Coordinates of all heavy atoms in Angstrom, one line a residue:
S29 N 124.4 93.2 97.6 CA 123.7 93.1 96.3 C 124.5 93.6 95.2 O 124.3 93.2 94.0 CB 122.4 93.9 96.4 OG 122.7 95.3 96.6
G30 N 125.5 94.5 95.4 CA 126.3 95.0 94.3 C 127.2 93.9 93.8 O 127.8 94.1 92.7
V31 N 127.4 92.9 94.5 CA 128.4 91.8 94.1 C 128.0 91.2 92.7 O 128.9 90.9 92.0 CB 128.4 90.7 95.2 CG1 129.3 89.6 94.8 CG2 128.8 91.3 96.5
M32 N 126.8 91.1 92.4 CA 126.3 90.5 91.2 C 126.4 91.4 90.0 O 126.1 91.0 88.9 CB 124.9 89.9 91.3 CG 124.8 88.9 92.4 SD 125.8 87.4 92.1 CE 124.9 86.7 90.8
G33 N 126.7 92.7 90.2 CA 126.6 93.6 89.1 C 127.5 93.4 88.0 O 127.2 93.6 86.8
G34 N 128.7 92.9 88.2 CA 129.7 92.6 87.1 C 130.3 93.8 86.6 O 129.9 94.9 87.0
L35 N 131.4 93.7 85.9 CA 132.2 94.8 85.4 C 131.4 95.7 84.5 O 131.6 96.9 84.6 CB 133.4 94.3 84.7 CG 134.4 93.5 85.6 CD1 135.6 92.9 84.8 CD2 135.0 94.5 86.7
T36 N 130.6 95.2 83.6 CA 129.9 96.1 82.7 C 128.9 97.0 83.3 O 128.6 98.0 82.8 CB 129.2 95.3 81.6 OG1 128.3 94.4 82.2 CG2 130.2 94.5 80.7
A37 N 128.4 96.6 84.5 CA 127.4 97.4 85.2 C 128.0 98.2 86.3 O 127.3 98.8 87.1 CB 126.4 96.5 85.8
A38 N 129.4 98.3 86.3 CA 130.0 99.0 87.4 C 129.6 100.4 87.6 O 129.6 100.9 88.7 CB 131.5 98.9 87.3
H39 N 129.2 101.1 86.5 CA 128.9 102.5 86.7 C 127.4 102.8 86.7 O 127.0 103.9 86.7 CB 129.6 103.3 85.6 CG 131.1 103.2 85.6 ND1 131.8 103.9 86.6 CD2 132.0 102.5 84.9 CE1 133.1 103.6 86.4 NE2 133.2 102.7 85.4
A40 N 126.6 101.7 86.5 CA 125.2 101.9 86.6 C 124.6 101.4 87.9 O 125.2 100.5 88.5 CB 124.5 101.1 85.5
A41 N 123.6 102.1 88.4 CA 123.0 101.6 89.6 C 122.4 100.2 89.4 O 121.9 99.9 88.3 CB 121.9 102.6 90.0
D42 N 122.4 99.4 90.4 CA 121.8 98.1 90.3 C 120.3 98.3 90.2 O 119.7 99.1 90.8 CB 122.0 97.3 91.6 CG 123.4 96.8 91.7 OD1 124.1 96.6 90.7 OD2 123.9 96.5 92.8
M43 N 119.7 97.4 89.4 CA 118.2 97.4 89.3 C 117.6 96.7 90.5 O 118.2 95.7 91.0 CB 117.8 96.6 88.0 CG 118.1 97.2 86.7 SD 117.3 98.8 86.5 CE 115.6 98.4 86.4
V44 N 116.5 97.2 91.0 CA 115.8 96.5 92.0 C 115.3 95.2 91.5 O 114.8 95.2 90.3 CB 114.6 97.4 92.5 CG1 113.7 96.6 93.4 CG2 115.1 98.7 93.1
K45 N 115.4 94.2 92.3 CA 114.9 92.9 91.9 C 113.6 92.6 92.7 O 113.5 93.0 93.8 CB 115.9 91.8 92.1 CG 117.2 91.9 91.3 CD 118.1 90.7 91.5 CE 119.4 90.9 90.7 NZ 120.2 91.9 91.3
E46 N 112.7 91.9 92.0 CA 111.4 91.7 92.7 C 111.5 90.9 94.0 O 110.6 90.9 94.8 CB 110.4 91.0 91.7 CG 110.1 91.9 90.5 CD 109.2 91.2 89.5 OE1 108.7 90.1 89.8 OE2 108.9 91.8 88.5
D47 N 112.6 90.1 94.1 CA 112.7 89.3 95.3 C 113.6 90.0 96.4 O 113.9 89.4 97.4 CB 113.2 87.9 95.0 CG 114.5 87.8 94.3 OD1 115.1 88.9 94.0 OD2 115.0 86.7 94.1
D48 N 114.0 91.3 96.1 CA 114.7 92.0 97.2 C 113.7 92.3 98.3 O 112.5 92.4 98.1 CB 115.1 93.4 96.7 CG 116.3 93.3 95.7 OD1 116.9 92.3 95.6 OD2 116.5 94.4 95.1
D49 N 114.2 92.4 99.6 CA 113.3 92.5 100.7 C 112.4 93.7 100.6 O 111.2 93.6 100.8 CB 114.1 92.7 102.0 CG 114.7 91.4 102.5 OD1 114.3 90.3 102.0 OD2 115.6 91.4 103.4
Q50 N 113.0 94.9 100.2 CA 112.2 96.1 100.1 C 111.2 96.0 99.0 O 110.0 96.5 99.1 CB 113.1 97.3 99.9 CG 112.4 98.6 99.6 CD 111.8 99.3 100.8 OE1 111.6 98.6 101.8 NE2 111.6 100.6 100.7
A51 N 111.5 95.3 97.9 CA 110.6 95.1 96.8 C 109.4 94.3 97.2 O 108.3 94.6 96.8 CB 111.4 94.5 95.6
K52 N 109.7 93.2 97.9 CA 108.6 92.4 98.4 C 107.7 93.2 99.3 O 106.5 93.0 99.2 CB 109.2 91.2 99.2 CG 109.8 90.1 98.3 CD 110.2 89.0 99.2 CE 111.1 87.9 98.4 NZ 111.8 87.1 99.4
K53 N 108.3 94.0 100.2 CA 107.4 94.8 101.1 C 106.5 95.7 100.4 O 105.3 95.9 100.8 CB 108.3 95.7 102.0 CG 108.8 95.0 103.3 CD 109.6 95.9 104.1 CE 110.6 95.2 104.9 NZ 111.8 96.0 105.3
L54 N 107.0 96.2 99.2 CA 106.2 97.2 98.5 C 105.5 96.6 97.3 O 104.9 97.3 96.5 CB 107.1 98.4 98.0 CG 107.7 99.2 99.2 CD1 108.5 100.3 98.6 CD2 106.6 99.8 100.1
A55 N 105.6 95.3 97.1 CA 105.0 94.6 96.0 C 105.4 95.1 94.7 O 104.7 95.2 93.7 CB 103.4 94.6 96.1
Y56 N 106.7 95.4 94.6 CA 107.3 96.0 93.4 C 107.4 94.9 92.3 O 107.7 93.7 92.5 CB 108.7 96.5 93.6 CG 109.5 96.8 92.4 CD1 109.3 98.0 91.7 CD2 110.4 95.9 91.8 CE1 109.9 98.3 90.5 CE2 111.1 96.2 90.6 CZ 110.9 97.4 90.0 OH 111.5 97.7 88.8
V57 N 107.0 95.3 91.1 CA 107.2 94.4 89.9 C 107.8 95.3 88.8 O 107.6 96.5 88.7 CB 105.8 93.9 89.3 CG1 105.2 92.8 90.2 CG2 104.8 95.0 89.1
A58 N 108.7 94.6 88.0 CA 109.4 95.3 86.9 C 108.5 95.6 85.8 O 108.8 96.5 85.0 CB 110.6 94.5 86.5
D59 N 107.4 94.9 85.7 CA 106.4 95.2 84.6 C 105.1 95.4 85.3 O 104.4 94.4 85.7 CB 106.4 94.0 83.7 CG 105.4 94.1 82.5 OD1 104.5 95.1 82.6 OD2 105.5 93.3 81.6
A60 N 104.6 96.6 85.3 CA 103.4 97.0 86.0 C 102.2 96.1 85.6 O 101.3 95.8 86.4 CB 103.0 98.5 85.7
T61 N 102.2 95.7 84.3 CA 101.0 95.0 83.8 C 100.9 93.6 84.3 O 99.9 92.9 84.2 CB 101.0 94.9 82.2 OG1 102.1 94.2 81.8 CG2 101.0 96.3 81.6
K62 N 102.0 93.1 85.0 CA 102.1 91.8 85.5 C 101.6 91.7 87.0 O 101.5 90.6 87.5 CB 103.5 91.2 85.4 CG 104.0 91.1 84.0 CD 103.6 89.8 83.3 CE 103.7 89.9 81.8 NZ 105.0 90.1 81.3
T63 N 101.4 92.8 87.6 CA 101.0 92.8 89.0 C 99.6 92.2 89.2 O 98.7 92.4 88.4 CB 101.1 94.2 89.7 OG1 100.9 94.0 91.1 CG2 100.1 95.2 89.1
K64 N 99.4 91.5 90.3 CA 98.1 91.1 90.7 C 97.6 91.9 91.9 O 96.6 91.6 92.5 CB 98.2 89.6 91.1 CG 98.7 88.7 90.0 CD 97.7 87.7 89.5 CE 98.2 86.6 88.6 NZ 99.2 87.0 87.6
N65 N 98.4 92.9 92.3 CA 98.0 93.7 93.5 C 96.7 94.5 93.3 O 96.5 95.1 92.2 CB 99.2 94.7 93.8 CG 99.1 95.3 95.2 OD1 98.3 96.2 95.4 ND2 99.9 94.8 96.1
T66 N 95.9 94.4 94.2 CA 94.5 95.1 94.1 C 94.6 96.6 94.1 O 93.6 97.2 93.7 CB 93.6 94.6 95.2 OG1 94.2 94.9 96.5 CG2 93.3 93.1 95.1
K67 N 95.7 97.2 94.5 CA 95.9 98.6 94.5 C 96.2 99.2 93.1 O 96.0 100.3 92.8 CB 97.0 99.1 95.4 CG 96.7 99.1 96.9 CD 97.9 99.5 97.6 CE 97.6 100.1 99.0 NZ 98.8 100.6 99.6
Y68 N 96.6 98.3 92.2 CA 97.1 98.7 90.9 C 95.9 99.2 90.0 O 94.8 98.6 90.0 CB 97.8 97.5 90.2 CG 98.1 97.8 88.7 CD1 99.1 98.7 88.4 CD2 97.4 97.1 87.7 CE1 99.4 98.9 87.0 CE2 97.7 97.4 86.4 CZ 98.7 98.3 86.1 OH 99.0 98.5 84.7
V69 N 96.1 100.3 89.4 CA 95.1 100.8 88.4 C 95.9 100.9 87.1 O 97.0 101.5 87.0 CB 94.6 102.2 88.8 CG1 93.7 102.8 87.8 CG2 93.9 102.1 90.2
A70 N 95.3 100.4 86.0 CA 95.9 100.4 84.7 C 96.4 101.8 84.3 O 95.7 102.8 84.6 CB 94.9 99.9 83.6
G71 N 97.6 101.9 83.8 CA 98.2 103.1 83.4 C 99.2 103.6 84.4 O 100.1 104.4 84.1
Q72 N 99.2 103.1 85.6 CA 100.2 103.5 86.6 C 101.5 102.8 86.3 O 101.5 101.5 86.2 CB 99.7 103.1 88.0 CG 98.5 103.8 88.5 CD 98.0 103.3 89.9 OE1 98.5 102.3 90.4 NE2 97.1 104.1 90.5
V73 N 102.6 103.5 86.2 CA 103.9 103.0 86.1 C 104.9 103.9 86.8 O 104.6 105.1 87.1 CB 104.4 102.9 84.6 CG1 103.8 101.7 83.9 CG2 104.1 104.2 83.9
C74 N 106.1 103.3 87.1 CA 107.1 104.1 87.9 C 107.3 105.5 87.1 O 107.5 106.5 87.8 CB 108.4 103.3 88.0 SG 108.2 101.9 89.1
S75 N 107.4 105.4 85.8 CA 107.8 106.7 85.1 C 106.7 107.8 85.2 O 107.0 108.9 84.8 CB 108.1 106.3 83.6 OG 107.0 105.8 83.0
N76 N 105.5 107.5 85.7 CA 104.6 108.6 85.9 C 104.2 108.6 87.4 O 103.2 109.2 87.8 CB 103.4 108.5 85.0 CG 102.5 107.3 85.2 OD1 102.5 106.7 86.3 ND2 101.7 106.9 84.2
C77 N 105.1 108.1 88.3 CA 104.9 108.2 89.7 C 105.7 109.4 90.3 O 106.8 109.7 89.8 CB 105.5 106.9 90.3 SG 105.6 106.9 92.1
A78 N 105.2 110.0 91.3 CA 105.8 111.2 91.8 C 107.1 110.9 92.5 O 107.9 111.8 92.7 CB 104.8 111.8 92.9
L79 N 107.4 109.6 92.8 CA 108.6 109.3 93.5 C 109.7 108.9 92.6 O 110.8 108.6 93.0 CB 108.3 108.2 94.5 CG 107.4 108.7 95.7 CD1 106.4 107.7 96.1 CD2 108.3 109.2 96.8
Y80 N 109.4 108.8 91.3 CA 110.4 108.4 90.3 C 111.4 109.5 90.1 O 111.0 110.7 89.9 CB 109.7 108.1 89.0 CG 110.5 107.4 87.9 CD1 111.1 106.2 88.1 CD2 110.7 108.0 86.7 CE1 111.9 105.6 87.1 CE2 111.4 107.4 85.7 CZ 112.0 106.2 85.9 OH 112.7 105.6 84.9
Q81 N 112.7 109.2 90.0 CA 113.7 110.2 89.9 C 114.3 110.3 88.5 O 115.1 111.2 88.3 CB 114.8 110.0 91.0 CG 114.2 110.1 92.4 CD 115.1 109.6 93.5 OE1 116.0 108.8 93.2 NE2 114.8 109.9 94.7
G82 N 113.9 109.4 87.6 CA 114.3 109.5 86.3 C 113.4 110.4 85.5 O 112.5 111.0 86.0
K83 N 113.7 110.6 84.2 CA 112.8 111.4 83.3 C 111.7 110.4 82.8 O 111.9 109.2 82.8 CB 113.6 111.9 82.1 CG 114.6 113.0 82.6 CD 115.1 113.8 81.3 CE 116.1 114.9 81.8 NZ 117.4 114.3 82.2
A84 N 110.6 110.9 82.4 CA 109.5 110.1 82.0 C 109.9 109.1 81.0 O 109.3 108.0 80.9 CB 108.3 111.0 81.6
A85 N 110.8 109.5 80.1 CA 111.1 108.6 79.0 C 112.3 107.6 79.3 O 112.6 106.7 78.5 CB 111.6 109.4 77.8
D86 N 112.9 107.7 80.5 CA 114.0 106.8 80.9 C 113.5 105.4 81.1 O 112.4 105.2 81.7 CB 114.6 107.3 82.1 CG 115.4 108.6 81.9 OD1 115.6 109.0 80.7 OD2 115.8 109.3 82.9
A87 N 114.3 104.4 80.7 CA 113.9 103.0 80.9 C 114.0 102.6 82.4 O 113.3 101.7 82.8 CB 114.9 102.1 80.1
A88 N 114.8 103.4 83.1 CA 115.0 103.1 84.5 C 115.4 104.3 85.2 O 116.0 105.2 84.6 CB 116.0 101.9 84.8
G89 N 115.2 104.4 86.5 CA 115.6 105.6 87.3 C 115.5 105.3 88.8 O 115.0 104.3 89.2
G90 N 115.9 106.3 89.5 CA 115.9 106.1 91.0 C 114.5 106.2 91.5 O 113.6 106.7 90.8
C91 N 114.3 105.8 92.7 CA 113.0 105.9 93.4 C 113.3 106.2 94.9 O 114.2 105.6 95.4 CB 112.2 104.6 93.3 SG 110.8 104.6 94.5
A92 N 112.6 107.1 95.5 CA 112.8 107.5 96.8 C 112.7 106.3 97.8 O 113.3 106.3 98.9 CB 111.8 108.5 97.3
F93 N 112.0 105.3 97.4 CA 111.8 104.1 98.3 C 112.9 103.0 98.1 O 113.0 102.1 98.9 CB 110.5 103.4 98.0 CG 109.3 104.1 98.7 CD1 108.3 104.7 98.0 CD2 109.3 104.2 100.1 CE1 107.3 105.4 98.6 CE2 108.2 104.8 100.8 CZ 107.2 105.4 100.0
F94 N 113.7 103.2 97.1 CA 114.8 102.3 96.8 C 116.2 103.0 96.7 O 116.7 103.1 95.6 CB 114.5 101.4 95.6 CG 113.3 100.6 95.7 CD1 112.1 101.0 95.2 CD2 113.4 99.3 96.3 CE1 110.9 100.2 95.3 CE2 112.2 98.5 96.4 CZ 111.0 99.0 95.9
P95 N 116.7 103.5 97.8 CA 117.9 104.3 97.7 C 119.1 103.6 97.0 O 119.3 102.4 97.4 CB 118.2 104.7 99.1 CG 117.0 104.4 99.9 CD 116.2 103.4 99.1
G96 N 119.8 104.2 96.1 CA 120.9 103.6 95.5 C 120.6 102.6 94.4 O 121.6 102.0 93.9
K97 N 119.4 102.4 94.1 CA 119.0 101.4 93.1 C 118.1 102.1 92.0 O 117.7 103.2 92.2 CB 118.3 100.2 93.7 CG 119.2 99.4 94.6 CD 118.8 98.0 94.7 CE 119.9 97.2 95.5 NZ 119.6 95.8 95.5
H98 N 117.9 101.4 91.0 CA 117.0 101.8 89.9 C 115.8 100.9 89.8 O 115.9 99.7 89.9 CB 117.7 101.9 88.6 CG 118.5 103.2 88.4 ND1 119.3 103.4 87.3 CD2 118.6 104.3 89.2 CE1 119.8 104.6 87.4 NE2 119.5 105.1 88.5
V99 N 114.7 101.5 89.6 CA 113.4 100.8 89.3 C 113.2 100.9 87.8 O 113.6 101.9 87.1 CB 112.2 101.3 90.1 CG1 112.5 101.0 91.6 CG2 112.0 102.8 89.8
A100 N 112.4 100.0 87.2 CA 112.1 100.1 85.8 C 111.0 101.1 85.6 O 110.1 101.3 86.3 CB 111.6 98.7 85.3
G101 N 111.2 101.9 84.5 CA 110.2 102.9 84.1 C 108.8 102.3 84.0 O 107.8 103.0 84.3
K102 N 108.8 101.1 83.5 CA 107.4 100.5 83.3 C 107.1 99.6 84.5 O 106.2 98.8 84.4 CB 107.4 99.7 82.0 CG 108.3 98.6 81.8 CD 108.2 98.0 80.4 CE 109.3 97.0 80.1 NZ 109.1 95.7 80.5
G103 N 107.8 99.7 85.6 CA 107.6 99.0 86.8 C 106.4 99.6 87.6 O 105.8 100.6 87.2
W104 N 106.2 99.1 88.8 CA 105.1 99.6 89.7 C 105.3 99.0 91.1 O 105.9 97.9 91.2 CB 103.8 99.1 89.1 CG 102.6 99.6 89.9 CD1 101.9 100.7 89.8 CD2 101.9 98.9 91.0 NE1 100.9 100.8 90.7 CE2 100.9 99.7 91.5 CE3 102.1 97.7 91.7 CZ2 100.0 99.3 92.5 CZ3 101.3 97.3 92.7 CH2 100.3 98.1 93.1
C105 N 104.8 99.7 92.1 CA 104.8 99.2 93.4 C 103.6 99.8 94.1 O 102.9 100.7 93.7 CB 106.1 99.4 94.2 SG 106.1 101.0 95.1
S106 N 103.2 99.2 95.3 CA 102.0 99.5 96.0 C 102.1 100.9 96.6 O 101.1 101.4 97.2 CB 101.7 98.5 97.0 OG 102.8 98.4 98.0
S107 N 103.2 101.6 96.6 CA 103.3 102.9 97.1 C 103.3 104.0 96.0 O 103.6 105.1 96.2 CB 104.7 103.1 97.9 OG 104.6 102.4 99.1
Y108 N 102.8 103.5 94.9 CA 102.7 104.5 93.7 C 101.9 105.7 94.1 O 100.9 105.6 94.8 CB 101.9 103.8 92.6 CG 101.6 104.7 91.4 CD1 102.5 104.8 90.4 CD2 100.4 105.4 91.4 CE1 102.2 105.7 89.3 CE2 100.1 106.2 90.3 CZ 101.0 106.4 89.3 OH 100.8 107.2 88.2
V109 N 102.4 106.9 93.7 CA 101.7 108.2 93.9 C 101.7 108.9 92.6 O 102.7 109.1 92.0 CB 102.5 109.1 94.9 CG1 101.7 110.4 95.1 CG2 102.6 108.4 96.3
K110 N 100.5 109.2 92.1 CA 100.4 109.8 90.8 C 101.1 111.2 90.8 O 101.0 112.0 91.8 CB 98.9 110.1 90.5 CG 98.7 110.6 89.1 CD 97.1 110.7 88.9 CE 96.8 111.5 87.6 NZ 97.4 110.8 86.4
K111 N 101.9 111.4 89.8 CA 102.7 112.6 89.6 C 101.7 113.8 89.4 O 100.8 113.7 88.6 CB 103.6 112.5 88.4 CG 104.7 113.6 88.4 CD 105.6 113.4 87.2 CE 106.8 112.5 87.6 NZ 107.8 112.4 86.5
A112 N 101.9 114.9 90.2 CA 100.9 116.0 90.1 C 101.0 116.7 88.8 O 102.1 116.7 88.2 CB 101.2 116.9 91.3
Ligands
LIG214 FE1 107.8 102.9 91.1 FE2 106.7 104.9 92.4 FE3 106.8 102.5 93.6 FE4 109.0 104.0 93.3 S1 107.2 104.5 94.6 S2 108.8 101.8 92.8 S3 108.6 105.0 91.3 S4 105.7 103.1 91.7

């Protein structure tokens, strides 16, 4: 998957893509408001999920479910856990 990163992205983690195997398993979307998943509750986004490794204001950050990649801060997946 790193092959497509290109030179300019060499130092940034690859973004998770919605058609990645793990993303499909977890019903990940880069824009939470676009999901049709029945588990989704309005207001849930990666940046307020307990598993998000970026800061709340970051556009993207790591996620425990996607090692070595970044998820969108405004993304969402079906394993969302509200940050305590
Ligand atoms: Fe986003 Fe949380 Fe799902 Fe990771 S577990 S992709 S941070 S909603």
Side-chain angles (χ1 to χ4, degrees):
S29 61
V31 177
M32 298 301 286
L35 292 174
T36 56
H39 297 286
D42 285 339
M43 291 298 294
V44 171
K45 295 186 183 71
E46 293 178 7
D47 59 356
D48 289 349
D49 285 348
Q50 174 75 341
K52 284 184 191 163
K53 274 183 209 153
L54 298 181
Y56 170 80
V57 288
D59 180 347
T61 65
K62 299 274 163 59
T63 185
K64 304 244 190 318
N65 194 284
T66 55
K67 284 181 156 181
Y68 172 70
V69 176
Q72 296 179 345
V73 282
C74 290
S75 62
N76 65 25
C77 171
L79 292 141
Y80 191 61
Q81 295 165 347
K83 295 193 177 72
D86 290 347
C91 166
F93 280 115
F94 296 96
K97 296 208 170 183
H98 276 177
V99 295
K102 62 187 172 83
W104 181 87
C105 90
S106 60
S107 290
Y108 175 89
V109 178
K110 188 177 170 60
K111 194 178 273 183

